[in-house]
Amino acid sequence: MRGVGLAGMPLTVFKPLFRLRHGIVGLASISSLKPHEEVEDDRLELLLEDIRRRRVVVKPILVDAKTLVILDGHHRFNALKILGARYAPAVLVDYDSPCVSVGSWREGVSVSKEEVRRRGVEGRLYPPRTSRHRVCFEIPDVNAGLEELVGYGLGAGEHDGGL
């Protein structure tokens, strides 16, 4: 199928780069990603400074493959939006898999996968550091260059450079 990536999505939404045992690493359109949690301003500022200085995003954002809800990486997502990036490095995972679990950083707070998805889809964000996601695999470093994320074209006929 022309124009459709390994994850079954149009290449304008997600361009796969490589497979993992439990996910697919690639570039996701910033506009297609849905946060479920707010960020801490101080942490966001520190990350912005780091990305501006290094010109690289080291780790991909963890994303539910079905809904494109961000599971982990809200600070990276927000930093990339502020920096004008059109794309973010992402790992798409099957959120229904037992390989992905969710808990809370906050004592006495219960978080479910269903509620994370619902909040992301509806735009009703949790306060910062409410959900804590864990995966059964190591998320690889991708070292995605900021210039590529700002100007990377995923559509048909556009530059098809790599990270």
Side-chain angles (χ1 to χ4, degrees):
M1 282 194 279
R2 192 175 182 327
V4 176
L6 290 173
M9 291 179 209
L11 290 175
T12 55
V13 173
F14 184 78
K15 178 174 179 161
L17 298 175
F18 59 92
R19 285 184 184 268
L20 301 172
R21 183 168 179 213
H22 296 283
I24 301 172
V25 176
L27 297 177
S29 165
I30 288 274
S31 62
S32 68
L33 298 176
K34 302 171 188 118
H36 78 272
E37 196 169 80
E38 297 170 344
V39 296
E40 296 171 333
D41 291 339
D42 292 347
R43 284 188 66 206
L44 178 58
E45 285 303 319
L46 288 173
L47 184 58
L48 273 166
E49 287 175 26
D50 183 63
I51 294 172
R52 282 183 181 123
R53 182 177 47 80
R54 295 171 60 183
R55 312 296 295 166
V56 161
V57 176
V58 176
K59 288 282 185 192
I61 295 168
L62 187 66
V63 177
D64 172 28
K66 282 185 186 171
T67 62
L68 297 179
V69 168
I70 298 168
L71 307 176
D72 184 59
H74 288 86
H75 289 88
R76 279 167 276 162
F77 167 76
N78 280 280
L80 286 169
K81 276 181 68 172
I82 289 168
L83 294 170
R86 293 172 36 202
Y87 303 96
V91 174
L92 298 187
V93 295
D94 176 1
Y95 198 28
D96 296 317
S97 165
C99 178
V100 184
S101 63
V102 65
S104 180
W105 290 99
R106 299 172 183 265
E107 196 171 317
V109 174
S110 178
V111 178
S112 71
K113 291 180 178 183
E114 295 77 21
E115 186 65 15
V116 166
R117 275 187 173 141
R118 187 176 309 112
R119 284 178 176 267
V121 169
E122 294 174 1
R124 292 184 308 111
L125 307 183
Y126 277 118
R129 299 191 56 81
T130 297
S131 68
R132 181 178 186 187
H133 287 87
R134 295 180 183 196
V135 294
C136 68
F137 62 96
E138 185 174 337
I139 296 175
D141 291 351
V142 292
N143 297 311
L146 181 58
E147 288 77 16
E148 294 167 297
L149 299 175
V150 169
Y152 201 95
L154 299 183
E158 293 187 47
H159 172 68
D160 192 27
L163 295 178

